[in-house]
Every structure is written in structure tokens, then in C-alpha cells.
Amino acid sequence: MSTPWNRLPHGGRIDRQKPISFTFDYQRHFGFAGDTIASALLANGERLVGRSFKYHRPRGVYSAGIEEPNALVTVGTGNRREPNVPATMREISEGMVVESQNNWPSRTLDLMSFNQLAGKLISAGFYYKTFMGPAQKSWMTYEPFIRRAAGLGKASTEPDPDRYETRHAFTDVLVIGAGPAGLAAAHAAATSGARVVLVEQDRELGGSLLSEPVDSALDQWRAEVESDLRRRDSLTILTRTTAFGLYDHNTVGLLETRDHETPKPESGRARHVVVTVRAKAIVFATGAIERPLVFNNNDRPGVMLASAARTYVSRYAVKPGTRAIIVTNNDTAYRAAGDLARAGVQVVVADMRAEIGSEVRAETSAHGIEIRTRTAVVDVAGRHGVHAARLAEIDDVESKPKYSIEARSADLVAVSGGWSPAVHLTSHLGVKPVWRADIAAFVPGALPETQIPAGAVTGVFSLNECIVGGSEAGVRAATMAGRSGADPGRLPAIPDERSETLNLKPVWEVSGIRHGKAFVDIQNDVTSDDVRLAHREGYRSVEHLKRYTTLGMGTDQGKTSNVNALALMAELTGQSIEETGTTTFRPPYAPVTIGALAGRAVGAHFRPVRRSPLDDWHRKNGAELIEAGPWMRAWYYRWAGKTPAEAYIKEMQLVRSAVGISDVSTLGKIAVEGPDAAVFLDRVYVNNYAKLAVGKARYGVMLNDDGIAIDDGTTTRLGEHRYFMTTTTAQAGEVMSWLEFLLEAAWTDLDVHLASLTDQWGAMAVSGPKAREALALAFPAEDLATERLPYMGALETELEGVPVKILRLSFSGELAYEVYAPAECTEALWCRILEKAAPLGIKPYGLEALASLRIEKGHVAGLDLDHRNTLYDLGLGKMASKTKPFIGRELLAREAHIAKDRWSLVGLESREEDKPLRGGSILFARGDEIEGHGRGYITSVTWSTELNKFIALGLYKGGLTHEGDDVIAAFPLKDETHRLRIVSPHFIDRDGKRLHA
């Protein structure tokens, strides 16, 4: 394998014994183990990596870390295709497929780059001005084109085959960041006796020390400290792990990635893991991010941060250029100048300051580096790569060019505008960062005592100070965690190094030449002119500036752009940067895949499937099942037909003419017991339960504090202090939680015990004119006559030693019983009833028929209860007791709840029997314009076997005051209308003769 032409022959932290091949835009390239995609592309001479978001300008690698705004690529193919991956953060692996993004037909010839010609038309906020008119519906015309043009990478639409996990961890001290300060903090905390978790987003420990030449004194110090840490059992090291969010009570979200291993789905190993860590104390050693400088064409491929240029030379043994111009306003860029020069790069330093220190000048002169003070880069020439840079002498006071412009040949422009401490995590709980004028940057504000910043994040840039500060933070964190008994050990001696100084002269923009664009936010194509435009148009708040210009809203979240933008806005408004403030920092600090957040909670693990005790029987005996909330329920049975439309009609006819049996095990079942059970139920339900006789059941409705119905169901009194409550399937969990809340928070004086029995008891409804005969055959020893078991009566019995409850209740409107048995015995009892009552023609019926039968009877259910209904809306106002208090009583009577024009329950009969009727249709009065939300909607619809037509229940403004009126049901999605008549919601057996048979 030949060595790529930009690869240095020696040095770096790559493993030259492990060559790796990969493709970029279908062209084969080579790198080594330890390379990132970015370093490997630079080594192979690839300067153009992609296109920008809005203008489709050529873009190259800009940084070497998580702050990368430009080099976003798509990695993988098929269902493992992942877009918007920072090339600076993903390690290469054998056979990796990498593609550039946001270009067509290719990155070298992108036809969408014509957007640059329309730059003035698509400046900040252009979409607000352009796509809102002239007609009201213009947006609907523009939207499809905008959607196609928006976005960067294209994700796969195929199911994700990879595995993701979530887990929890607990520790005394969490150290975030493994640079010099983080290493020192972890060492001090661990030797103090604390349990420590050290988190680092890179694959190696060291932070900025990884950009030191390999085998240098500082590199040897780093390796020695790391070796010491890895020997300690009390310390856990998590590399390739990003702390993405700080939450209450020292809870931190971590994202551990294993993309470097490319774990195969069949291996069972997770690709990403979200770790929720709870720590007694946290040390934030998150470091700082180098700031760009704003000048014309500062986005061209070949323009990058000075720290990144140094990293590629020292860590990856890659020359990002051969002729470099480093433009800076501080001392730290001279480290990059020295490393580049030692790698054989011709270096010119354009220092915007008037004076530089003698120590800095002496070091650079030893390497033949040309230094030009009072000089800035004002423009860059080149398109797919830098060809030259224009230098100009600048004014000492205003830092503006004097127009003595000189063009210098260059293929690399490295910029250093200062450093911005990474305050994001420290701000996630609302702690505002504080401006420090001496370093022209924000540092963390006043944090809780268990949250301790250390190192560069505090604005300290001297290596010695970072290490000392880290050690002090580690000891303090261990003390806060209650682990201060042990003596903190000493770190290895720090090598003698020159003191690192900043000596920053803030320069926010080098202006003067206006034939190009000067970018503040490189990822989102936000220029300094956009910031000025936003100011002219009245957007002076930083939050408004962000949203109007999209500044800081990309995947990099403004890591390289925020401070420059704030400074420009401050200049325009005449305020200080401190007064201008920052935008709100929110999690996540870096993008987190949805798969990682979901973990294993996908499919049935995301929404667990609940199965009835009769589930196996249904599957073996011709049932088609359907999801009903979390439950799998028998939808219909193939004995009645091949389709649900055919089957439910026959099942309904069976129940109306003979007898059928249905699985209702999904009903919520709650035991309410104790001396105060009756008092409790009286307060919960609108009607009276204290006087309910033993062996009797009563239908009841419960309200919330606002007087809104939350559930209806039947409660049976089985003993003096023992009740058996049933709820709707949909509200079972909510009702249980509500009742527990009331006992634990509102009525702590009541002696009541609750127990959910939903899973412990199975249930079946036996319905139809022959229901009593069917149960008599199954329970020959029981007297089921009306005198013994009247409507709303209940009895507890045993069948061959198995406890059984028989309640005479009806959901179908026919003579019916609900039979309850322990879950493990439910199938045996179900089969017994089917077998014994077979001469009567009994067969099972499913959910579709069950719902249709209740519509004919006018029983409300989940579809008709939308958490906005009062008792009066449902026609149940007479149930409310006038003599006892109950939850929701006061607000139930408020004026808005008893208004005559509320949407109330009505029945609806079809006037066009040949046309299907659809649930969800919007209701209009005859003569109304078919537009908007109408006067109500259809909640439930079915074909009535009794009336031989479509019928429905619905909510309609004014309710039954409009009985007999014709209305129009509109279904806009199908452009359908249907004529209906408002009738009573009780379509059959209004006098209840069937129920009481």
C-alpha cells in the first residue's frame, strides 16, 4: 500500500501496522488504525468534503473535535446508513462506506450552488418574508419545494437493525473530561477514597495533551498518569462517551458509542448505550473550544482552527497543508505554528496584535517562521481549496484594515480568535454563564457546591494551573461525597514547560472587503451581514437573533459561532457582551441518536403487549386479534366470516337472537376494602354507594377536580367492607393511580385498602336471550332465577373448588351476565360454558361486535369519553347526588359546564342507507357551510342489525335539544358527506325489558 501524500513518514498516534481501506464517494482511500474519517481524508488529499446548508458552498474539515461545523458525512449503507456524522469524531474501520452530503450530482459539481447567486434574496429570515404570501394558502404551494431543499444528510427509511441499550450507574464523583484537569481531578478523588467515574468523549485520555508530539515529556507524563488511574479498582473509565445533559440532583446523561467496533446486530452487542449516572459530586473538566475569526470567505476548504491544524500534524501525522498562514489574536496559536513548521510546513503568522512576547517570538524564529504583527487575513482566494490569502495591516484601535493588501500564496489558513470555555453542561439547569473580559469569554456561573468546574472551562489556560486546579477540584468533590478520609496521592512531577499565556486582543470581525461572505455560523451559512440585517429589522434579543437567522441551531449548536455572534450583536446595540447575554443552553450537548434514547424499548418492549388469560384459546380457535390499547383482543372469529365487516354482523345477530360469549378480561378490576370503603366510594363516585346492599352492583361515574368525567364502570358490594370495582379497559391504569393518589395525598385519614386484580381475574360476558339457560347448564347447582339474581345482582360461588363471581350486568343491552374466575382457571371455565351450552348454539363473539352492540343500546365507552365531557354532556346528569359531596361536584355546576349549547351525546341515524358512515366525521347543521370544526363529530359508528341501517353516537352542540333535526356528516379526507337525523342515543330497548328479562 502506498502512503497517502499528505501523511508524514513518522510520528502520530496512529498504528501504521494496521492499514485500513475505506471509500469516500465511491473512491477507495487508505488510512491507519487510530485515524478519524477527517484525518484519513486529509491524509489522502481530500480537501473538499461537502457542501454548506443554504448556499451549497464548498466546505472542508474545519476542526478536529466535536465542534466540527462543516465535515458532516453519511456513514454506512442500506439500513445502517447514518447521516450527519462529524468526520472528526468517527474512527475509520475496514470497508467503511463514507459519502459527502447536501450536493447533487456530486460534491465537485453541485447544481444547487447557484443559490450563491441569489445570496441577497435568501438572507436571514427570507422564508418568513417570501413564503407567507401573497395568498393565504401560498405556504401550501411552497412547502413541498422547501422540504425537499431543507436538511443535510438523508437517513435510511428501513428498520434499524442495530441494538441499543440504556443503563443506570451511581458514583461518588463523576469527572467529565479527561484532559489535564480531568486527569488530575480523577486521580485526586480516587486517591481520597472516592468511587470515581471518569468520562471522556475521545477514544484516548489526555484532551489537549493528545496534540503534543508523541514521546514528548508531556506525552510521557500523560501516559504515566493514565497508567496509574487504570490500576485503581475504585475508578471507572468510560472513553468514547459524551456527557450530553445535566439534570436535577446531579444526574448526568452519557452516550457511550461503539461505532469503532461496527458491532453486528447478530452479536447482541449494543451499538450505543445511554448511561444515566447519579453522582454525589461532579467535576466539570470540559475544557474550551477555539474560536474562529470572521473575515471574507473564511469558510473555504483549507481554512481551519489552529488547534485543529496542530492536532492533525501531531496526533495523526497529517500535513493539512504545505504553505500555511496562521492568523491569530492570542499566544496559543504559536504552538500550532511550531508544530507545523517542524513538520515541514512553510508558516507565516499574521498576528493582529501590535506586540508579542519575546518568549513566543524566540520559539518561532528558531523554526524560520515569519511573524507579521498588526496584520490580519481579510480574504481567501480559492474555491474547492485555499490558493492564497490576502493580508492587510490593521489599525491598532479598531482592528480594521488599512487597505495595504498583500496576496500571499497559501493552501492552509489556520485561525485562532481565542477560546470559549465549554460551559454548556454547567448551564443546563439554568445557571447563567458569566462574562470575563480578560479572556473575552463566558465561564460557568455560580454552581451548587457539589458541582465543581476545573481547568480551561474556568478560563485557566496554563497547563500547571489546570493540573493544580483539577487536583483541588478532585479533593473537594471527594469531600462533598463524604470520602475525605484517605490522603490524596501525588501526581507524577509535571515536566518543565514554558508558561502558557493567552494575551488575547479581542477581534470579532475583520471587515473592509465586501466582495465575499464573512461567516459567523459556518454550518448554517449565517454571515455577519445577516446579524446586521436582523438588528436593522428589530431582532435585538439574542434568542430572537438565533431563531431569525438560525445561528447556532445546527448539529454543532453554535459551539464555534456563539461568542462571535454575541459580540457583533453587542456592538450593534451599543451594549456590552455581558449585557447582551447568551442564548439558553439545553441538552443535548451533542446529537444523540433516537435509537440510543429508546434503548431496548422498541416494538413490544416500547409498548408491552398485554394478553388475556384466553389469548391462547383465541389463537387456536379462529380468532383474529387486534391491538386495543396495550391489549391484544379477539377482534372477530372466523366462524362468523372471513372479514370483520362480514363477521361482526353474524356475531351481533347471534347475541340478539340466542346467546354468545365474549372475553372481557381486559376490564380494570380493583378490590376496595376496609372500614371506610363505602365513605371512599361515595366521595369518588357521583352517586351513592354507602347504602348499596350486599350482593348488589351499581353503575357509577367518577369525575376529576374540574368536574369532567374520567371513567364509568360498575362496582359491586360483596360484603359490608368489601367492594369489587370494574373500570373501562382504557382507563384501568389511570383510575387505579387516581384512587391511590386520593388515599395517599387527599384523604389520609380513611382506612381503605386498594388492590389491582386486573391480571388476577379473567372475565367473560354471556349475553343474549338464552344467557340464563346457558349459565344454568354450566352451573347446574346455582339458582339463577330473577328472584335470586335480578338485574344488577351479584353472587359469589364455587365451581369444583374454584371461586367464581357472577354479576348480572349488560353491556350489550340483552339479558347478560359477567362471570369472573381466577386467571389460571379462566380458560377452563370458558370451555365449560361453551361445551355445556352448545345445544343453545352458543359461540364466541369479538370486540367489533361487542362495540356495535353497545352502540345500539347507547352505552358510552372510551371513544365517547374524551376527557372533556361532563355528566350532562353524556345524558347522565340525574345520577349526581344532591345530598353528598363528591369529587368534581362544585365545578360540575359551573356555568360553562351546564350551558345548553355544549357538545352533548346524541344518536344519529343514516338517511342514506346505501352510503357508508365514517367515525370521526364532522357534524354540521343543514345549511351550514362545510368548513372548520363544525358543531360536533361522530364518536362511534356501526351497522345496526336491529334497524338495518347505519347508526352512530356523536357529540353535537346543543345535544338532544335538536332531536329530529337533519344534519350533515362531512369526512374531508375522502370528500364525503352523509345525511343523518339526530335521535335518542338509545336505539333499542329503551324501557329495559330485555335487561330485566
Side-chain angles (χ1 to χ4, degrees), residues 25 64 124 153 167 250 263 298 457 471 636 751 839 874:
D25 283 351
R167 63 184 176 87
N250 283 358
N298 61 333
V457 72
S471 293
Y636 65 93
D751 187 359
L874 302 174

Side-chain angles (χ1 to χ4, degrees), residues 340-385:
L340 286 169
R342 280 188 289 270
V345 179
Q346 180 185 333
V347 179
V348 175
V349 177
D351 198 319
M352 291 184 282
R353 299 171 298 176
E355 300 291 337
I356 60 173
S358 57
E359 185 179 359
V360 171
R361 189 179 290 275
E363 180 177 336
T364 54
S365 62
H367 299 292
I369 299 172
E370 178 186 350
I371 301 176
R372 300 191 40 176
T373 57
R374 296 192 182 93
T375 303
V377 171
V378 295
D379 197 5
V380 169
R383 181 169 177 77
H384 291 173

